[in-house]
Amino acid sequence: MDGVDETAPAKRPRNAANTRGVILAAAKTLLAEQGFARWGVNAIARASGYDKQLIYRYFGGMDGLAEAIAADVSAWMETALVRPENVPPPATYAEMMARVAVALLDALRSDPLAQKILAWELSAPSKLATAFTEARGKALSAWIARERGTLQRPAGIDAPVLNALLIASIQQLVLSGAQNGRFLGLDLSEEAGWERVRTGIAALTKAMFQ
C-alpha cells in the first residue's frame, strides 16, 4: 500500500521477558537457516517482528545478543551431554572420554545452529566467535566434572593436545557431513556411516587415554 513500509516489522504487544525471548529465538533461527552472512540487526528485527531498537534495549546490541546465544548454546549442550539415567557411570577415565566424544558428535550433528557457529568460528574469527567457543568449552568441562568422580587421568599424557585433536576431528566430520555428506572416502549421508564414526571415535579415544 502507498505510504506503508512493508519491510518494517509489525507492531506487537510487549512484555520484557517475552520480547527478549522472541528476539533471541528469531536470532537463533535466522542464524541456523542463513548463517552469519545475513545475520544483522535489521534482519533479526524483521524476523522477530520487533523494532531493532529493542535489540539494543534488551541485549545492548549484536555483541550482547551473540553472548546471549552463546549462553543458550552452552546450556543446550550441557543438557544434550547428560548421561541417561539407565546408563551406569564410566568405569575408567578412557571410557569417560570416549563417551563424551561420542556425545559431542551426536549433539553437534543434531543442531544446525551449532554447525553454523562452528563454520563461522573457522571462517571469520572474532570476538563473537570466541564467545561461542568458550561456551562450548564450558559445557564440555561441566560434563567431565560431573562424570569424572574419582577417576584419574593416566599419567604421562598431554591431555590438552589430545582433546584438541579429538574435538577438531569431530567438528570436521560434522561439518563435512552437513555440507556434502562425505569426508575423504567416508560416506556420511547415511546413518550407517555415522555409526562407523561413533565406533571409530570411541575406539580412538580409549586408545588415546589408556
Side-chain angles (χ1 to χ4, degrees):
M1 294 178 59
D2 292 343
V4 176
D5 181 2
E6 296 182 353
T7 66
K11 291 184 178 180
R12 53 196 300 177
R14 288 206 303 270
N15 167 280
N18 289 344
T19 299
R20 191 179 189 281
V22 170
I23 293 172
L24 183 62
K28 289 168 58 180
T29 298
L30 191 67
L31 183 57
E33 292 178 350
Q34 301 185 20
F36 285 89
R38 299 183 63 184
W39 199 68
V41 65
N42 291 324
I44 293 169
R46 286 192 296 271
S48 68
Y50 286 111
D51 188 277
K52 66 182 181 181
Q53 293 304 318
L54 294 179
I55 296 174
Y56 295 96
R57 178 182 299 176
Y58 292 114
F59 297 96
M62 294 300 290
D63 283 6
L65 182 56
E67 289 174 2
I69 294 177
D72 201 57
V73 168
S74 177
W76 159 79
M77 185 165 287
E78 287 192 39
T79 300
L81 295 176
V82 168
R83 172 170 47 86
E85 292 184 0
N86 61 339
V87 176
T92 67
Y93 190 91
E95 181 184 351
M96 180 192 72
M97 294 305 296
R99 286 187 186 183
V100 75
V102 173
L104 177 61
L105 175 77
D106 289 338
L108 294 178
R109 278 191 64 213
S110 72
D111 194 330
L113 174 60
Q115 294 163 21
K116 286 291 194 303
I117 291 171
L118 288 178
W120 185 48
E121 290 173 353
L122 295 174
S123 62
S126 68
K127 176 183 176 181
L128 304 187
T130 298
F132 292 118
T133 303
E134 291 175 350
R136 189 169 63 255
K138 177 183 176 183
L140 289 171
S141 296
W143 190 97
I144 292 173
R146 219 171 32 237
E147 293 293 304
R148 183 171 181 173
T150 59
L151 297 176
Q152 296 298 312
R153 187 170 62 202
I157 64 172
D158 190 342
V161 168
L162 295 183
N163 289 336
L165 293 171
L166 187 61
I167 292 172
S169 66
I170 290 170
Q171 293 181 173
Q172 179 63 61
L173 287 167
V174 169
L175 292 178
S176 294
Q179 183 67 29
N180 53 41
R182 299 190 68 82
F183 184 72
L184 297 178
L186 185 60
D187 183 1
L188 300 176
S189 63
E190 301 289 342
E191 194 58 32
W194 286 108
E195 189 56 38
R196 289 178 62 195
V197 170
R198 290 189 191 93
T199 300
I201 286 288
L204 177 63
T205 307
K206 288 178 180 178
M208 290 165 61
F209 286 98
Q210 289 291 356

